[in-house]
Amino acid sequence: MTTGTNEISGPATSSITRPEPICGMDTWMPVATRVTAIKRENLNTHTYRMEIVDEALRAQYRWAPGQFNMLYAPGVGEAAISISSDADTPDMLDHTIRVVGSVTRTIFRTQVGEILGLRGPFGVGWPIDRLDGRDVVLVGGGIGIAPLRPVIYWLLANRDRVGRVVVLYGCRTPEDRVYAEELENWAEHAPIDVLVTVDNATGGWTGPVGVVTKLLQRIRVNAERTVVMVCGPRILNRVAASEFLQLHVPPSQVYVSLERNMNCGFGRCGHCQYGHWFVCKDGPVFCFKDIADIFAIEEI
Amino acid sequence: MNADDSVRQFLPKASLEALIAALRDQGYTVLGPRERDGVIALREVHAAADLAHGMHDEQAPGHYRLTADDDQLYFNYVLGADGPKRYLFPAQQRVVQLHVEGQRFVMDAASPAPPKLAFLGVRACELAAIAVQDRVFGADDPRTFRCEAELSYCETRRNAFFVAVNCTRPGGTCFCVSMGTGPKAERGYDLALTELRAGFVVEIGSERGREVAAQLPLRLPTEAELELADIKLAQARHSMGRTLQTDGLRTTLARNIEHPRWDQVAKRCLSCGNCTMVCPTCFCSTVVDSSALDGGSVTRTRLWESCFTHQFSYAHPGPVRHSIRGRYRQWLRHKLSTWWDQFGSSGCVGCGRCITWCPVGIDITEEACAIAATPSQSNSPFAEAWEGEGEAEAAGEVPR
Ligand SMILES: Cc1cc2nc3c(=O)[nH]c(=O)nc-3n(C[C@H](O)[C@H](O)[C@H](O)COP(=O)(O)OP(=O)(O)OC[C@H]3O[C@@H](n4cnc5c(N)ncnc54)[C@H](O)[C@@H]3O)c2cc1C
Ligand code: SF4
Ligand code: SF4
Ligand code: FES
């Protein structure tokens, strides 16, 4: 126990006072954001471009690739959504959202010009500061490409700082692809390798078919100098991490972004516990070596 | 200040009334143990007559009874199902209320001023549990920026006055000695009482406590009174209902994520969540939204949540902990192992409530002990990479 008496430290106040909530701080009060553009990605996934309504807050707002916001539909609730735009233009926030339940359905009904709430940014993102001189492999599955897109923007802007860059992306059918045009554009014109695979080749798809980890056969991995970042469904995270470890990529160079039920986003509500970690504040991006003891254990 | 440098004093039994009156005079709402539906419950008391007295409790796994006993004694029972957490971290609490105005969110109502509460008869394990929650909610570190709900906790807690009662008759499910939290209150109180038939030996734990004590008809205790109080406390230490061997337990549980005992306990556990509802340290919660009927304002309310529910871990496409085995394991490992990593202490203070109030009588000490007795050391298929010094080599052996 930390205190010797009942008196706990800090100034005693007679009523509850606190500064105005600021983005990224522990608060239940969301800030208003305006939807400025909506882009359809696939049948149930759309990208919402937003700006914080309050100009001062908008100017202050900073985030890092891999971080997420709690997006708020007033009266309905919140959902954890990764920021998927370019962190170099932090005032223009993209959130790519797949409709699965009540909050995402309400957001789906939101029109350009309307407002939503936002709390964030929360969490620890990708190891951008550890990429110098490295080869980088990004592995995304389905909507899991969303938190990786800011990394791609960063890599493109800092292309000379890193070695080889490979993006592996898998989804169910070609129609399910998220960021389809951008991926095609990067594959053709950008100085990075982009490989896309689908589970079912519908609509005249001539590209690779099969799970995303099969794409690994098509690339050469220099294990010692490669940093891997994975985000996808639980099963993809598991298989991809295991494949790269088998290729002798050190566990300290494999990163996974995990998904958990989230309510607060700042480490207090307990929902996102993963072993002793709180995914919302210790993650969602984890270095594999930190979670190897519990990784892939069912129901942990 | 601690108890050692304060002189012990004596409060005659009839003057318990004066203590309650003094606290009420200072503007405190006094909360003390009352009998309610056959259980000790922490509720407001206006006078000493409101307090449960002349009874003791029988507690055992899945069992609780109050039985008539020595009429001269007030605090001959220990804990009921609820405790100070009911007031410091209420099961239902508004965190913010807001409305949409054009393109802005406007906060409607500031949080109400925190209540001024005096807890009478709080036990050592409860004070330890409050210290645990202080760390969870950041009350031990004024520099932390806190959310609205935590601020309310911190302010209510800071205002609170604690009159501890040292346990002289531990309950059948208590194991505070094993957890180093009782049966005598060593810290965290303003006043502490040890009950004798004629009155209370009083210790002063804070400046606030001294001010209240100054208004009481205290006298110096006799040698015999002090000796009797000491004997009663020493006896209490030796009559714990349960014990838990804590040496190495944190590591044992960290390593035994897979163990046949989890399957066995899962067959008995109903996943009712009672254990989490009565536990004084459990802090999980869910904030839900509700709209006013006119559509104007939205209230965000924090509710207690339990790790025994499906929605607690629900993430598309299903709950992470879909089996009772997974949920019980999460609960027990959190209390006795991962809590240490998160908050630097045990998440269990040995109050025994989860044992008493489990409808099927599952006993946390028995479960932990069973695993410690037959450790299996089987963990993640990836654990090699974790244990291994040379990460790259170890990684090569990772099974698929
Ligand atoms: C760090 C992080 C980043 C994320 N990033 C993104 C992102 O960029 N884009 C994105 O689209 N998603 C993302 N997600 C996932 C997203 O948070 C969830 O899909 C979202 O919270 C769902 O909210 P909802 O209210 O729409 O669905 P909910 O209403 O909560 O429910 C989702 C589904 O679960 C069902 N369900 C809910 N509760 C229960 C229950 N108790 N029992 C049975 N079924 C239940 C619902 O019926 C529905 O089918 C991310 C999650 C995390 C943790
Ligand atoms: S886990 Fe059980 S014994 Fe331990 S503090 Fe919680 S209710 Fe009390
Ligand atoms: S351990 Fe007992 S009290 Fe806890 S959820 Fe299971 S049946 Fe309920
Ligand atoms: S989301 Fe609340 S603790 Fe992580």
Coordinates of all heavy atoms in Angstrom, one line a residue, chain A residues 68 78-82 96-98 100-105 143 146-147 258-260 262 284, chain B residues 310-311 314 316, ligand 1:
Chain A
F68 N -5.7 4.4 -32.9 CA -7.1 4.3 -33.2 C -7.9 5.3 -32.5 O -7.4 5.9 -31.5 CB -7.7 2.9 -32.9 CG -7.7 2.6 -31.5 CD1 -8.8 2.7 -30.7 CD2 -6.6 2.1 -30.8 CE1 -8.9 2.4 -29.3 CE2 -6.6 1.7 -29.5 CZ -7.7 1.9 -28.7
E78 N -20.0 3.6 -29.0 CA -18.7 3.9 -29.7 C -18.1 2.6 -30.3 O -18.5 1.5 -29.8 CB -17.7 4.4 -28.6 CG -18.1 5.8 -28.1 CD -17.1 6.2 -27.0 OE1 -16.8 5.4 -26.1 OE2 -16.7 7.3 -27.1
A79 N -17.3 2.8 -31.2 CA -16.5 1.6 -31.8 C -15.1 2.1 -32.0 O -14.8 3.2 -32.4 CB -17.1 1.2 -33.2
A80 N -14.2 1.2 -31.7 CA -12.7 1.4 -31.9 C -12.5 1.3 -33.4 O -12.7 0.3 -34.0 CB -11.9 0.4 -31.2
I81 N -11.9 2.4 -34.0 CA -11.6 2.4 -35.4 C -10.2 3.0 -35.7 O -9.9 4.1 -35.2 CB -12.7 3.3 -36.2 CG1 -14.1 2.8 -36.0 CG2 -12.4 3.2 -37.7 CD1 -14.5 1.4 -36.5
S82 N -9.4 2.2 -36.4 CA -8.1 2.7 -36.7 C -8.1 3.9 -37.6 O -9.0 4.1 -38.4 CB -7.3 1.6 -37.5 OG -7.4 0.4 -36.8
T96 N -11.8 3.8 -42.0 CA -12.4 2.8 -42.9 C -13.2 1.9 -42.1 O -12.6 1.2 -41.2 CB -11.3 2.1 -43.8 OG1 -10.6 3.1 -44.5 CG2 -12.0 1.1 -44.7
I97 N -14.5 1.8 -42.3 CA -15.4 1.1 -41.4 C -16.2 0.1 -42.1 O -16.9 0.3 -43.1 CB -16.3 2.1 -40.7 CG1 -15.4 3.2 -40.0 CG2 -17.2 1.4 -39.7 CD1 -16.2 4.4 -39.5
R98 N -16.2 -1.1 -41.5 CA -17.0 -2.2 -42.0 C -18.2 -2.3 -41.0 O -18.1 -2.3 -39.8 CB -16.2 -3.5 -41.9 CG -17.0 -4.7 -42.4 CD -16.1 -6.0 -42.3 NE -15.6 -6.1 -41.0 CZ -15.1 -7.3 -40.5 NH1 -15.1 -8.3 -41.3 NH2 -14.6 -7.3 -39.3
V100 N -20.8 -4.0 -38.9 CA -21.0 -5.3 -38.3 C -22.0 -5.2 -37.2 O -22.6 -6.2 -36.8 CB -19.7 -5.9 -37.7 CG1 -18.7 -6.2 -38.7 CG2 -19.1 -5.0 -36.6
G101 N -22.3 -4.0 -36.7 CA -23.3 -4.0 -35.5 C -23.8 -2.6 -35.4 O -23.9 -1.8 -36.4
S102 N -24.3 -2.3 -34.2 CA -25.1 -1.1 -34.0 C -24.4 0.2 -34.3 O -24.9 1.1 -35.0 CB -25.7 -1.1 -32.6 OG -24.7 -1.3 -31.7
V103 N -23.2 0.4 -33.8 CA -22.5 1.7 -34.0 C -22.1 1.8 -35.4 O -22.3 2.9 -36.1 CB -21.3 1.8 -33.0 CG1 -20.5 3.1 -33.4 CG2 -21.7 1.8 -31.6
T104 N -21.5 0.8 -36.0 CA -21.0 0.9 -37.4 C -22.2 1.1 -38.3 O -22.1 1.8 -39.3 CB -20.2 -0.3 -37.7 OG1 -20.8 -1.5 -37.3 CG2 -18.8 -0.3 -37.1
R105 N -23.3 0.5 -38.0 CA -24.5 0.7 -38.8 C -25.0 2.2 -38.8 O -25.4 2.8 -39.8 CB -25.7 -0.2 -38.4 CG -26.7 -0.4 -39.5 CD -27.8 -1.4 -39.1 NE -27.2 -2.7 -38.8 CZ -27.3 -3.3 -37.5 NH1 -28.0 -2.6 -36.6 NH2 -26.8 -4.4 -37.3
I143 N -10.3 -6.0 -43.6 CA -10.3 -4.6 -43.1 C -9.0 -4.3 -42.4 O -8.6 -3.2 -42.2 CB -11.5 -4.4 -42.2 CG1 -11.6 -2.9 -41.8 CG2 -11.5 -5.3 -41.0 CD1 -12.6 -2.2 -42.5
A146 N -6.5 -1.4 -43.1 CA -6.8 0.0 -42.7 C -5.7 0.5 -41.8 O -5.1 1.6 -42.1 CB -8.2 0.1 -42.0
P147 N -5.3 -0.1 -40.7 CA -4.2 0.5 -39.9 C -2.9 0.4 -40.5 O -1.9 1.1 -40.0 CB -4.3 -0.3 -38.6 CG -4.9 -1.6 -38.9 CD -5.9 -1.3 -40.0
L258 N -3.6 -6.2 -32.6 CA -4.6 -7.1 -32.1 C -6.0 -6.4 -32.0 O -6.0 -5.2 -31.7 CB -4.2 -7.7 -30.8 CG -2.9 -8.5 -30.8 CD1 -2.6 -9.0 -29.4 CD2 -3.0 -9.7 -31.8
E259 N -7.0 -7.2 -32.1 CA -8.4 -6.6 -31.9 C -9.0 -7.2 -30.7 O -9.0 -8.4 -30.5 CB -9.2 -6.9 -33.1 CG -10.6 -6.2 -33.0 CD -11.5 -6.5 -34.2 OE1 -11.1 -6.9 -35.3 OE2 -12.8 -6.5 -33.9
R260 N -9.6 -6.4 -29.8 CA -10.2 -6.8 -28.6 C -11.5 -6.0 -28.4 O -11.6 -4.9 -29.0 CB -9.3 -6.6 -27.4 CG -8.2 -7.6 -27.3 CD -8.6 -8.8 -26.5 NE -8.0 -10.0 -27.0 CZ -7.9 -11.1 -26.2 NH1 -8.4 -11.2 -25.0 NH2 -7.4 -12.2 -26.8
M262 N -13.4 -3.2 -26.9 CA -12.9 -2.0 -26.2 C -14.1 -1.1 -25.8 O -15.1 -1.0 -26.5 CB -12.0 -1.2 -27.1 CG -10.7 -1.9 -27.2 SD -9.5 -1.0 -28.1 CE -8.2 -2.2 -28.2
P284 N -2.7 -1.2 -29.7 CA -3.0 -2.5 -30.3 C -1.9 -3.2 -31.0 O -2.0 -4.4 -31.2 CB -4.2 -2.2 -31.2 CG -3.9 -0.8 -31.7 CD -3.4 -0.1 -30.5
Chain B
H310 N -20.6 -12.8 -21.8 CA -20.1 -12.9 -23.2 C -19.7 -11.6 -23.8 O -18.7 -11.4 -24.5 CB -21.2 -13.5 -24.1 CG -21.1 -15.0 -24.2 ND1 -22.0 -15.8 -24.8 CD2 -20.1 -15.9 -23.9 CE1 -21.6 -17.1 -24.8 NE2 -20.5 -17.1 -24.2
Q311 N -20.5 -10.6 -23.5 CA -20.3 -9.3 -24.2 C -19.0 -8.6 -23.7 O -18.4 -7.8 -24.4 CB -21.5 -8.3 -24.0 CG -21.7 -7.8 -22.6 CD -22.8 -8.5 -21.9 OE1 -23.2 -9.6 -22.4 NE2 -23.3 -7.9 -20.9
Y314 N -16.6 -9.6 -26.3 CA -17.1 -9.8 -27.6 C -16.3 -8.9 -28.6 O -16.2 -7.7 -28.5 CB -18.6 -9.5 -27.7 CG -19.1 -9.9 -29.0 CD1 -19.7 -11.2 -29.1 CD2 -18.9 -9.2 -30.2 CE1 -20.1 -11.7 -30.3 CE2 -19.4 -9.7 -31.4 CZ -19.9 -10.9 -31.5 OH -20.3 -11.4 -32.7
H316 N -15.9 -9.1 -33.0 CA -16.2 -9.8 -34.2 C -15.2 -10.9 -34.5 O -14.0 -10.6 -34.5 CB -16.3 -8.8 -35.3 CG -17.0 -9.3 -36.5 ND1 -18.4 -9.4 -36.6 CD2 -16.5 -9.8 -37.7 CE1 -18.6 -9.9 -37.8 NE2 -17.5 -10.2 -38.5
Ligands
LIG1 C1 -7.8 -1.3 -32.1 C2 -9.0 -1.6 -33.0 C3 -9.0 -1.1 -34.3 C4 -10.1 -1.3 -35.1 N1 -10.1 -0.8 -36.3 C5 -11.2 -0.9 -37.1 C6 -11.3 -0.3 -38.4 O1 -10.4 0.4 -38.8 N2 -12.4 -0.5 -39.2 C7 -13.4 -1.3 -38.7 O2 -14.4 -1.5 -39.5 N3 -13.4 -2.0 -37.5 C8 -12.3 -1.8 -36.7 N4 -12.3 -2.4 -35.5 C9 -13.4 -3.3 -35.1 C10 -14.5 -2.4 -34.6 O3 -14.1 -1.8 -33.4 C11 -15.8 -3.3 -34.3 O4 -16.2 -3.9 -35.5 C12 -16.9 -2.4 -33.8 O5 -16.6 -2.0 -32.5 C13 -18.2 -3.0 -33.9 O6 -19.1 -2.1 -33.3 P1 -20.6 -2.1 -33.5 O7 -21.3 -1.3 -32.5 O8 -21.0 -1.7 -34.9 O9 -21.0 -3.6 -33.4 P2 -21.6 -4.3 -32.2 O10 -23.1 -3.9 -32.1 O11 -20.8 -4.1 -31.0 O12 -21.5 -5.8 -32.6 C14 -20.7 -6.4 -33.6 C15 -21.3 -7.7 -33.9 O13 -21.3 -8.5 -32.8 C16 -22.6 -8.9 -32.4 N5 -22.6 -8.8 -31.0 C17 -22.3 -7.8 -30.2 N6 -22.4 -8.1 -28.9 C18 -22.7 -9.4 -28.8 C19 -22.9 -10.3 -27.8 N7 -22.8 -10.0 -26.5 N8 -23.3 -11.6 -28.1 C20 -23.4 -12.0 -29.4 N9 -23.2 -11.1 -30.4 C21 -22.9 -9.9 -30.2 C22 -23.5 -7.9 -33.2 O14 -24.7 -8.5 -33.4 C23 -22.7 -7.7 -34.4 O15 -22.9 -8.7 -35.3 C24 -11.2 -2.2 -34.7 C25 -11.1 -2.7 -33.4 C26 -10.0 -2.5 -32.6 C27 -10.0 -3.1 -31.2

